[in-house]
Amino acid sequence: MTVQHADHDGPLIPKPAQTLPALRQAVAAVAPSRLPEFFEDMQNAFVQAGEEGSVVPIRMFYRRWAVVVEIERHPQTARRLHDAERALDSEHAAVRDQAVREAGEIVRAAHREVESG
């Protein structure tokens, strides 16, 4: 199932649990074009976890994708981030600097929201 992006910034989907099935479903709903990246990251995290004998790489994978979903489930926030990412290619240093600040604020806010549960 995919979700149509609305004009408001209310969440498109509820915040998912930080589990593989919930995050996979959420990515499929709010950022389906990123599913190949999700699966590649998942495979790398599980391989690294096996090699290290640690669950930390898996937890970091869950956290990273929970942050991606947190941003993408809010259309206006996602639009702001993607605009900032595009602005990083500007020839003007001031535009690039503002884009870095904007992207950083968005990502930090998403991390805080994910941390708060």
Side-chain angles (χ1 to χ4, degrees):
M1 159 172 110
T2 59
V3 176
Q4 300 267 334
H5 286 262
D7 288 336
H8 61 83
D9 198 32
L12 297 172
I13 61 170
K15 187 185 305 186
Q18 288 188 43
T19 65
L20 187 57
L23 288 171
R24 184 202 53 76
Q25 184 176 12
V27 171
V30 299
S33 66
R34 295 193 67 184
L35 278 171
E37 179 186 358
F38 175 86
F39 287 119
E40 183 177 339
D41 281 357
M42 177 188 69
Q43 182 175 359
N44 291 339
F46 279 84
V47 167
Q48 184 180 0
E51 289 172 350
E52 295 176 4
S54 171
V55 297
V56 171
I58 296 169
R59 288 185 180 155
M60 295 302 295
F61 163 79
Y62 288 158
R63 174 66 178 265
R64 175 176 189 257
W65 284 95
V67 167
V68 168
V69 169
E70 182 58 32
I71 293 166
E72 294 294 334
R73 71 190 195 100
H74 296 277
Q76 290 178 358
T77 302
R79 196 172 307 112
R80 284 178 40 228
L81 177 62
H82 300 309
D83 288 347
E85 290 169 337
R86 283 188 293 278
L88 292 173
D89 292 331
S90 174
E91 61 187 48
H92 303 288
V95 171
R96 291 191 309 270
D97 290 346
Q98 178 58 35
V100 168
R101 284 191 296 277
E102 178 79 2
E105 289 171 11
I106 292 167
V107 171
R108 284 189 298 276
H111 273 278
R112 286 191 300 272
E113 185 62 30
V114 167
E115 283 176 16
S116 72

